[in-house]
Amino acid sequence: MTEITAPKSPITTAEFADEIREQLKYTQGVTVEQATPADVYVAASTAVRRHLMDSWMKTQQDMVNGNTKAVGYLSAEFLMGKQLRNALLNAGLTEQFDEAVEQLGFDYQDVVDAEYEPALGNGGLGRLAACFIDSLASLGVPAFGYGIQYQYGIFKQSFNEQGQQIENPEYWLANEEPWGHVDYNRSQRVDFGGYVADEDGKRVWHPATCVRAVPVDYMVPGYASGRVNTLRLWTAKSYDEFDLLTFNRSDYLNAVRPQVDAENISKILYPEDSTPQGKRLRLQQQYFFVSASIHDAIRVFYPGQDKPDLTTFPDKITFQLNDTHPVIGIPELMRVLIDEYGYDWDTAWDITTRTFNYTCHTLLPEALEVWPANLIGELLPRHLEIIYQINDHFLNEIAGKTRDKAKIERMRIVTEGDDPQVRMAYLAVAGGSHVNGVAELHSQLLKDITLKDFSDLYGEKFTNVTNGVTPRRFIKLANPRLSDLITEGLGTDKWLSDLELLKGLEPLAQDDEFVKKFAEVKHANKVSFANYAKRQYGFDMNPDTMFNSMIKRLHEYKRQSLKILALIARYADIKNGNMSADDVMPRTVIFGAKSAPGYYMAKLTIQLINNVARVVNNDPDVKGKLNVFFPWNYNVRLAQHLIPATDLDEQISQAGKEASGTGNMKFALNGALTVGTLDGANVEIRERVGAENFFLFGMTVDEVEELYAKGYGPAAYYEANPRLKQAIDMISNGTFSNGDRNTFAPLVADWLTKDYFMTLADFDSYTAIQSDIEALYRTPLEWHRKALINVANSGYFSSDRSIEDYLERIWHTGPLAD
Ligand code: CJB
């Protein structure tokens, strides 16, 4: 007997169909006959939202009235993915929805497809935030996600004739959006600019302009917890109706400028990932959402109180700073406490440091945000004063801890000189209780290298929380076939809220019949993906080949270039007859990646991949043996389709550069094998699934450091390896650019002279491991056995476990009492 514990609403299909009809009629004003799938999508979403309403309101009341500290997850990005299926799952209405929609005469897939994905994030960091708020709700922990409702999300990617990336605006709010509730009555004012004056012995900020921050609330339903939390995304509106004086002078455009400027703040998500641009508007965005969120939390937890006792604030809510983007919240809370509520410096500092914690998501020094003090002074003059004061106090404090003058200098929050800079990561360490990295190796490297001085003096603040992913979206919704098989294998569906139960599948890896079923699931998923890819992109994929995916942002450190060079080498092997037909394991290679619009090398790599795909896919000599596809506009939806269909995934960053990775976790949980370096969370995945079930290659962090120290010369690797040489020469001689030798010359020049991420040095070991991979793939039963062992041992990578670690190590709170 299989035990089913998934939530199931008591309402019937007929009742749910009635609710949809009612929404269509009374909200949208259309009959069922007139309705389009998009209408039904809006109606069904509104109906689900109503089902969640009581739990949402009760969760908020219990949070304010109870004694359980809440979590405020401050993040500039929440990459949520589609909402409807997830809401149906948590409301226990999936079956009723599927049936009701059919009864109304629609195909449920068309209705689900009508949803437009809110793409309010760049990549891993934003998707992690979405997984975390899902887990917080599922664990019943009271929480707010606080961020920005950008009108334009990450750009929509297309490719032109030359295979170059084109960025198109992503106006995701073009159609009715049923999930966000705009709450004009809970707006906050956010000030900017102006000057600070001494008045009655106090510093008083006289801002020049202000913006109205209006919350748009999204429900975050927990799985089987009965709780529904809130994602509160701020949108910027103007207060100024318009400037009448200017208008009277018939200068209409200038008269409405303050409105336009104000509303610009939440207009667009910056598309840079890991390489912040230091733009004025970005700092405005950061302050905008953080200031509104802090004031909102005070409003929520001290309702109607003019003079709240804010010394209790850290007992009400703990703010997690998701990377450096919200770190301006530290001086903001200081300002609020001192200027708005009259606390003295020491009390304010005590409250502030007990309220904030900081997660660092990178090891690349250029990704740690640094703001020119001048810019902060212009936009937030009072904050700059406070930052300088924090800097002075901090330097005094560390002078009491060390005599090492050079160290003290290195630790300045604000640098000296003509153009002083504010280091937001340092401000975050100084102004919060805890600092964490996102995988064990990453947290160790933060302590040893990136933030070493800080860890030497404040070792107790440093901890690790390894990332995780939500099994609801990334197994249950993305991979229903595997979900059913897991439930069958375990005899229960409880694994969806306790993912370590997957361990119970391990003995089944010795049961050939079960492994065959597992293999059938993978094959069926590949067929589904091939159909999807045909429909969406016009690709012809053969599900009987190995599906090998590399999906992530395009970054040099992630080394898509290593994959493409190896792929070209394989292409040349087949084409030149170096491999007999029997030796070739047919493969379908799938890339998905966006590049920051101004990142030249990354964009050129995209162009190269597209052109390699064009040449390979049109070459009769390799037909049926090698195919390369690059579906454009990789997003959460595509991930949900592709991950369950993948046999082999690539996590091949240079060791010491990928903080964690979360795609690797999604793949392992969906029964793909990983080829990867000892980097980020790969290390922990390999530890758990077993070295024999993971394809490891490449230099370690220490070897990389040694090679840097010794002096790295990539040309020697090119000369020494004829296959590598041939691959690079093919790019140089125009094989993939219609004979033009210039198109990819900058890539080639970089590989041969700099190759900062040591692609060439790892080429040998990468191509060698590919032979092991292919040998194993020839014995499908053994391949799938290993893949199943991966699934069984990846339960640790649930974001529920990550949240439990945060609760224990950092937040010191827990679920709401019933
Ligand atoms: N990450 O997505 C981003 N954006 C950044 O600006 C910095 C880091 C990624 O965060 C993920 C979640 O922690 C990590 O898994 C990934 O390694 C990191 O690159």
Side-chain angles (χ1 to χ4, degrees), residues 77 122-126 128 272-276 282 322-323 325 359-362 367 438 467 553 557-558 657-665 680:
E77 302 185 11
N122 273 287
L125 173 145
L128 185 79
E272 281 79 24
D273 171 80
S274 307
T275 40
R282 192 174 164 104
N322 197 26
D323 222 68
H325 319 145
T359 305
C360 179
H361 291 266
T362 190
V438 289
N467 284 343
R553 285 291 288 227
Y557 83 80
K558 293 182 191 276
K657 296 297 186 297
E658 188 70 87
S660 162
T662 44
N664 44 7
M665 301 169 184

Side-chain angles (χ1 to χ4, degrees), residues 27-161:
T27 313
Q28 287 150 270
V30 291
T31 63
V32 174
E33 292 68 37
Q34 291 167 327
T36 63
D39 289 323
V40 178
Y41 155 68
V42 172
S45 303
T46 315
V48 185
R49 211 172 165 274
R50 286 180 62 145
H51 278 271
L52 295 169
M53 188 57 79
D54 283 337
S55 305
W56 186 42
M57 293 180 73
K58 182 164 187 321
T59 302
Q60 292 181 66
Q61 280 157 11
D62 291 353
M63 175 174 74
V64 175
N65 300 333
N67 293 318
T68 309
K69 176 163 64 174
V71 176
Y73 200 79
L74 294 172
S75 179
E77 302 185 11
F78 285 92
L79 189 47
M80 295 298 289
K82 290 188 179 205
Q83 296 299 293
L84 176 58
R85 278 260 175 243
N86 189 54
L88 287 165
L89 172 69
N90 294 318
L93 284 167
T94 302
E95 267 174 40
Q96 293 93 322
F97 166 83
D98 289 353
E99 292 167 10
V101 166
E102 300 275 327
Q103 278 181 14
L104 294 169
F106 292 85
D107 178 354
Y108 63 78
Q109 198 54 47
D110 292 343
V111 174
V112 169
D113 285 348
E115 178 167 2
Y116 207 80
E117 171 174 334
L120 308 186
N122 273 287
L125 173 145
R127 184 52 236 176
L128 185 79
C131 285
F132 279 4
I133 58 174
D134 176 88
S135 284
L136 280 160
S138 298
L139 292 169
V141 178
F144 281 105
Y146 278 120
I148 299 177
Q149 197 213 38
Y150 303 99
Q151 281 177 41
Y152 292 86
I154 184 71
F155 60 84
K156 210 186 292 169
Q157 180 193 52
S158 58
F159 300 136
N160 66 10
E161 288 275 294

Side-chain angles (χ1 to χ4, degrees), residues 419-722:
D419 184 15
Q421 306 286 317
V422 180
R423 295 152 157 171
M424 301 310 269
Y426 294 7
L427 180 56
V429 182
S433 293
H434 300 274
V435 184
N436 75 286
V438 289
E440 276 168 22
L441 175 66
H442 174 232
S443 297
Q444 193 59 46
L445 293 172
L446 278 183
K447 286 197 281 186
D448 293 349
I449 301 167
T450 319
L451 296 171
K452 180 173 187 319
D453 291 329
F454 290 82
S455 118
D456 286 350
L457 300 187
Y458 295 93
E460 72 289 351
K461 286 195 184 190
F462 283 74
T463 184
N464 170 61
V465 178
T466 299
N467 284 343
V469 302
T470 169
R472 272 75 64 180
R473 179 173 294 269
F474 288 104
I475 310 180
K476 176 74 182 168
L477 297 181
N479 199 343
R481 293 186 185 98
L482 180 62
S483 299
D484 289 347
L485 185 66
I486 294 173
T487 300
E488 182 194 315
L490 296 177
T492 174
D493 66 353
K494 274 199 177 146
W495 56 274
L496 273 164
S497 35
D498 181 2
L499 205 60
E500 291 279 11
L501 291 178
L502 292 182
K503 190 81 185 161
L505 296 173
E506 191 147 43
L508 293 170
Q510 303 316 318
D511 172 349
D512 288 356
E513 288 315 305
F514 192 83
V515 177
K516 279 181 196 152
K517 282 193 195 170
F518 180 76
E520 280 161 19
V521 163
K522 180 63 73 181
H523 192 262
N525 289 342
K526 288 165 75 174
V527 172
S528 296
F529 185 75
N531 292 335
Y532 175 80
K534 180 74 184 167
R535 255 193 343 267
Q536 297 286 327
Y537 303 95
F539 296 158
D540 285 308
M541 291 187 172
N542 178 359
D544 295 322
T545 60
M546 175 201 278
F547 278 15
N548 175 195
S549 307
M550 182 162 189
I551 46 174
K552 47 185 77 255
R553 285 291 288 227
L554 203 310
H555 252 290
E556 288 163 283
Y557 83 80
K558 293 182 191 276
R559 300 200 298 189
Q560 279 91 353
S561 54
L562 178 55
K563 178 78 195 147
I564 200 76
L565 284 173
L567 204 152
I568 294 171
R570 162 54 55 99
Y571 169 60
D573 287 343
I574 306 173
K575 196 164 169 62
N576 302 340
N578 294 347
M579 292 178 88
S580 74
D582 284 352
D583 284 348
V584 182
M585 255 282 324
R587 256 196 222 222
T588 300
V589 178
I590 303 146
F591 288 92
K594 288 183 184 176
S595 156
Y599 188 171
Y600 180 70
M601 290 305 235
K603 289 184 93 167
L604 205 53
T605 307
I606 287 183
Q607 190 180 353
L608 175 62
I609 297 172
N610 274 320
N611 281 284
V612 171
R614 175 179 55 81
V615 170
V616 169
N617 295 345
N618 289 306
D619 188 335
D621 293 348
V622 299
K623 198 172 168 49
K625 295 173 190 144
L626 186 60
N627 274 112
V628 186
F629 295 106
F630 195 163
W632 49 92
N633 203 37
Y634 171 58
N635 56 13
V636 179
R637 174 168 86 138
L638 180 56
Q640 288 182 215
H641 282 283
L642 179 56
I643 291 169
T646 295
D647 294 304
L648 176 69
D649 95 284
E650 308 263 340
Q651 305 295 337
I652 60 178
S653 50
Q654 185 196 31
K657 296 297 186 297
E658 188 70 87
S660 162
T662 44
N664 44 7
M665 301 169 184
K666 294 166 199 165
F667 279 112
L669 283 165
N670 278 281
L673 294 182
T674 301
V675 53
T677 47
L678 268 188
D679 201 15
N682 288 356
V683 177
E684 288 158 78
I685 293 176
R686 180 170 170 269
E687 258 167 35
R688 288 193 153 71
V689 305
E692 66 287 8
N693 302 309
F694 186 103
F695 297 108
L696 181 71
F697 78 98
M699 286 184 283
T700 60
V701 172
D702 289 345
E703 287 163 350
V704 166
E705 289 309 319
E706 257 169 55
L707 191 50
Y708 277 137
K710 209 168 78 185
Y712 173 57
Y717 293 86
Y718 165 84
E719 295 299 344
N721 186 324

